[in-house]
Amino acid sequence: MIHAECVPNWLKKRSELTPDRIALEFNDHSYSFLDLHSRANTWASALYKKGIKKGDTVGLLAGNHPDSIFILHALFYLGARVVLLNSRMTENELKFQLDDSDASFLISEQKFKDQVQFLKKNRLIAYLKEDFKESDWPEAPILDEFDLEETATIMYTSGTTGKPKGVLQTFGNHWWSAIGSVLNLGLHEKDTWLCTVPIFHISGLSILMRSVIYGIRIVLHDSFNEKKVNDDIMNKGITIISVVTAMLNRMLSELGSQEYPNAFRCMLLGGGPAPKSLLDDCKVKNIPVYQTYGMTETSSQIVTLSPEYSMDKLGSAGKPLFPSEIYIELDGKKAPANQAGEIVVKGPNVTKGYYNRTRETKKALQNGWFYTGDIGYLDEEGFLFVLDRRSDLIISGGENIYPAEIEGVLSRHPYVFEAGVTGFPDSKWGQVPYAFVVLTHENSVTEADMIEFCQMFLASYKTPKRVLFVPELPRNGSNKLLRRELRKLLEEEQQTDED
Ligand code: ATP
Ligand code: MG
C-alpha cells in the first residue's frame, strides 16, 4: 500500500513510465531509464551479497561516472543511507566523515584505492569493478516505496566556515527540491541537463534526482572543461546547465563571439555572488542566467531569480521557490525591507538537522525555520540580496563591512586574478579589512595602486588597510575561499615579524 508520506521508488517508477527515454549520456555511451533501473537492480543484488542492507549507512567515494549513479540508486533500492564523499578530501577528512556519520561500509572507486587503504582493517571496502566480478548474485529485496521522512543521503557541508557538518537529506527533501525547481523553471519534453558539477555535492546530486523524477536526459561530464561544455551546448541539445561563477567565466571566454543555440534555456548560476560584469556579458550574448541561492541544508536551490529580472534586480538571488519561504531576522525580529539581517528559510526541502549534532541542529532550526548564517536583505518587492556570511562580517567603527563587496571591487582590476578579504583587529576601529590578492602578472601593481583603485569604488572605512600579494588563496575541497585561513596567514606573518 502507498502511504500518503511515501512515494513509489522513483527510478523503478520512472522505468515503468518511460523505459526507452534516454536517462544518461556519458562519453559515447547512453543509458535508457530501463537500463538505469536494471543496472541499479544488479548492483543492489551485488551490494546485498556484500552484506549491505536496509538501514545501513554507506559511504560512497566516487566521481562523476555512470557506475556511481547506478550504485547510488542501488543503495536507495536497498534502503541504505548514502554518505556522499568528496573525492578531493584528504585521508584525515575522509576518515572524519566516515567516523562522524557512523558509516559501516565504504564503496570506493578503484582510483581512490590508495586514499582509503587506511580503512581496510575495520571496514569493508568494496572497490568498484575489482570486487564485483561474479554475476550470480541473489536477488535483493528492493524498496517499492520511499518514505519521504527517511534519510536518503548524508551530505557534509563544504566546511567553509568551520568543520563540515553532516546534513540529513530525506527523500522528501530531494523530492520537494525537484518539485520547487520545476515549478519555477518549467519542464520541456526535450530537456537535457548538463551535469559537470560533482555529484557528491548537492548541485550535482539534485540533477540526478530531477532527471529521474522529471524523466529527462542528463549529459554527464567527469569534470569541468569549458571547451567540452560549450561543444555539448552547441551540439547535443543541452537545455539547462548548473554552474558557479568561475565556470561561467571560463565558458564565456572560450565561447568568444559565438552565441548559444535558442534551445539552451537556462544557465543556473549559484553557489556564490555573481559579479555585475559577468551578468552584463551574459546579457550581451543573450544567455538566460537564472541566479540562485541555496545550500546543502536546503537540498539545492531555495531562492531563484528568473532572467526577466536579472538586470532590474541586478545582484539579487530572486524569490523563494513555490514550496519555500524566507524572511530576514534582525535583533530577534523580522527586519523591514532593505534592512540587512540573517536569512531565515523554511520549506519541505529544508533539512531536519545535522547528524549527531544536537546543539548545532537546535541552534539552526527553530520553530520550523532554518537559520542560514548568511546575511542579506529583501527589497520592497521581496527580492533577496545575499550580502555575505555572518561569520565573515567585519565590524569597523560600528559599521558593517561585507568582504564579498570588497572582493568584487578588487576583482574588477585587470591585473587581479582573485582576491580574498578578511577583518583584522585594530586598536582604533575594532576591526579593519585586509585584502589578499593573487595577481595575473607578478609585480604588475603595488599595494598603494591597489588601495587607490579601491578608493575609487568604496567608502574609506571599506577600503582595505593593507593589500598583501600572495601566490594563491586558501580554498577547501569545494574550491570555496577559506577566509578564516586568510586570518591565520596574516597572524603567522605578524608572528614571524615579531620574532
Ligand atoms: P559550511 O556550512 O561548512 O561553512 P558552506 O556553507 O560553504 O560550508 P555549502 O552548503 O556548499 O557549504 O554552501 C552554501 C553557502 O554558499 C550558502 O550558505 C551561502 O553562504 C553560499 N551561497 C550559495 N549561493 C549563494 C549566492 N547566490 N550568493 C551568495 N552566496 C551564496
Ligand atoms: Mg553552510
Side-chain angles (χ1 to χ4, degrees):
M1 200 180 75
I2 307 249
H3 303 286
E5 62 275 21
C6 287
V7 290
N9 171 335
W10 50 51
L11 176 55
K12 185 161 170 273
K13 175 78 174 180
R14 174 51 62 197
S15 75
E16 290 156 12
L17 291 175
T18 55
D20 302 326
R21 270 197 214 165
I22 297 299
L24 177 65
E25 264 181 49
F26 181 74
N27 295 337
D28 291 330
H29 297 277
S30 56
Y31 307 87
S32 67
F33 282 103
L34 186 60
D35 292 334
L36 203 59
H37 165 62
S38 47
R39 299 217 181 210
N41 232 341
T42 312
W43 274 106
S45 297
L47 297 170
Y48 184 62
K49 171 113 194 272
K50 289 274 174 200
I52 295 176
K53 55 183 190 319
K54 194 167 191 289
D56 283 339
T57 300
V58 181
L60 179 60
L61 179 63
N64 280 16
H65 188 277
D67 283 340
S68 316
I69 299 179
F70 307 149
I71 291 171
L72 178 73
H73 286 297
L75 291 167
F76 291 160
Y77 277 24
L78 290 173
R81 301 164 148 201
V82 189
V83 186
L84 289 137
L85 299 161
N86 184 332
S87 53
R88 296 188 210 112
M89 277 193 287
T90 62
E91 225 175 84
N92 277 339
E93 289 169 322
L94 262 176
K95 191 167 177 330
F96 165 76
Q97 293 192 9
L98 286 165
D99 286 342
D100 188 71
S101 62
D102 291 321
S104 43
F105 291 90
L106 170 68
I107 303 174
S108 161
E109 212 175 316
Q110 176 74 23
K111 65 178 177 199
F112 306 125
K113 195 170 169 174
D114 292 341
Q115 238 166 295
V116 292
Q117 273 305 334
F118 68 97
L119 283 169
K120 205 144 199 177
K121 277 186 227 95
N122 46 11
R123 280 202 191 86
L124 172 79
I125 302 177
Y127 292 114
L128 306 192
K129 306 272 194 238
E130 199 180 70
D131 269 19
F132 296 99
K133 288 206 178 99
E134 50 178 313
S135 56
D136 56 337
W137 296 302
E139 208 176 304
I142 70 163
L143 300 185
D144 283 325
E145 296 172 355
F146 292 156
D147 184 336
L148 295 179
E149 286 294 308
E150 276 293 330
T151 299
T153 45
I154 299 179
M155 186 177 276
Y156 280 79
T157 57
S158 299
T160 312
T161 51
K163 228 176 167 51
K165 300 180 286 278
V167 178
L168 299 171
Q169 297 166 332
T170 62
F171 282 102
N173 292 151
H174 291 303
W175 171 263
W176 280 105
S177 167
I179 300 301
S181 176
V182 79
L183 289 178
N184 181 46
L185 301 182
L187 184 59
H188 297 197
E189 196 196 340
K190 293 236 158 56
D191 268 339
T192 298
W193 210 301
L194 179 53
C195 178
T196 79
V197 283
I199 60 170
F200 51 72
H201 272 171
I202 194 57
S203 52
L205 180 67
S206 60
I207 300 174
L208 305 185
M209 303 294 179
R210 294 182 196 120
S211 155
V212 170
I213 295 167
Y214 310 162
I216 62 167
R217 179 171 66 121
I218 291 178
V219 172
L220 182 72
H221 289 183
D222 56 2
S223 59
F224 175 79
N225 173 293
E226 57 272 34
K227 170 94 175 70
K228 196 168 163 209
V229 166
N230 282 343
D231 283 352
D232 278 7
I233 296 180
M234 292 300 190
N235 305 314
K236 284 202 173 160
I238 305 295
T239 59
I240 310 179
I241 183 174
S242 305
V243 294
V244 298
T245 298
M247 292 161 72
L248 183 50
N249 268 327
R250 283 160 58 182
M251 285 162 66
L252 285 186
S253 35
E254 204 281 330
L255 190 66
S257 57
Q258 298 180 85
E259 281 194 18
Y260 291 129
N262 286 338
F264 177 72
R265 67 183 189 88
C266 170
M267 178 78 76
L268 194 60
L269 171 65
K276 178 182 180 310
S277 54
L278 178 64
L279 298 171
D280 284 340
D281 290 350
C282 288
K283 181 87 185 162
V284 171
K285 287 183 190 294
N286 288 320
I287 298 173
V289 177
Y290 288 72
Q291 286 182 78
T292 177
Y293 165 74
M295 62 212 75
T296 315
E297 292 91 334
T298 60
S299 307
S300 173
Q301 317 159 55
I302 188 154
V303 175
T304 301
L305 185 76
S306 303
E308 64 260 42
Y309 296 111
S310 73
M311 282 298 138
D312 287 354
K313 297 290 177 183
L314 197 78
S316 166
K319 289 192 175 181
L321 297 179
F322 200 95
S324 308
E325 300 166 70
I326 60 173
Y327 76 93
I328 303 296
E329 190 173 296
L330 182 64
D331 302 328
K333 289 195 294 282
K334 235 180 210 183
N338 297 315
Q339 284 252 5
E342 180 162 7
I343 304 170
V344 189
V345 303
K346 186 182 192 174
N349 56 321
V350 176
T351 182
K352 57 184 179 186
Y354 301 109
Y355 183 68
N356 261 347
R357 278 187 178 68
T358 325
R359 200 165 47 88
E360 273 106 331
T361 301
K362 260 202 188 137
K363 208 170 127 211
L365 275 168
Q366 290 171 34
N367 303 320
W369 290 88
F370 177 78
Y371 287 74
T372 62
D374 290 322
I375 298 184
Y377 64 90
L378 293 168
D379 72 4
E380 43 297 293
E381 290 173 282
F383 286 88
L384 174 70
F385 290 78
V386 183
L387 293 170
D388 221 313
R389 292 169 189 269
R390 196 180 48 191
S391 57
D392 288 339
L393 184 70
I394 303 169
I395 303 177
S396 189
E399 297 279 4
N400 286 352
I401 303 176
Y402 303 102
E405 185 186 358
I406 305 174
E407 288 160 7
V409 165
L410 287 162
S411 307
R412 277 192 246 164
H413 191 285
Y415 291 145
V416 171
F417 177 66
E418 53 181 5
V421 170
T422 188
F424 206 73
D426 181 86
S427 52
K428 186 165 176 206
W429 302 105
Q431 273 187 310
V432 286
Y434 275 44
F436 294 77
V437 167
V438 181
L439 293 172
T440 48
H441 304 286
E442 235 179 288
N443 303 325
S444 47
V445 278
T446 63
E447 181 172 5
D449 294 337
M450 288 311 310
I451 292 179
E452 200 178 310
F453 178 79
C454 288
Q455 280 165 340
M456 296 200 294
F457 303 97
L458 295 167
S460 66
Y461 70 96
K462 294 184 193 170
T463 301
K465 292 295 158 290
R466 292 274 332 258
V467 177
L468 296 108
F469 299 109
V470 290
E472 59 177 4
L473 296 178
R475 292 188 180 272
N476 62 18
S478 312
N479 219 19
K480 290 194 175 190
L481 174 65
L482 292 173
R483 294 199 187 112
R484 60 200 156 92
E485 302 277 320
L486 290 175
R487 228 160 279 159
K488 259 196 241 161
L489 263 183
L490 197 60
E491 277 160 5
E492 277 163 21
E493 198 192 82
Q494 298 209 331
Q495 197 67 45
T496 29
D497 286 352
E498 280 166 24
D499 291 348

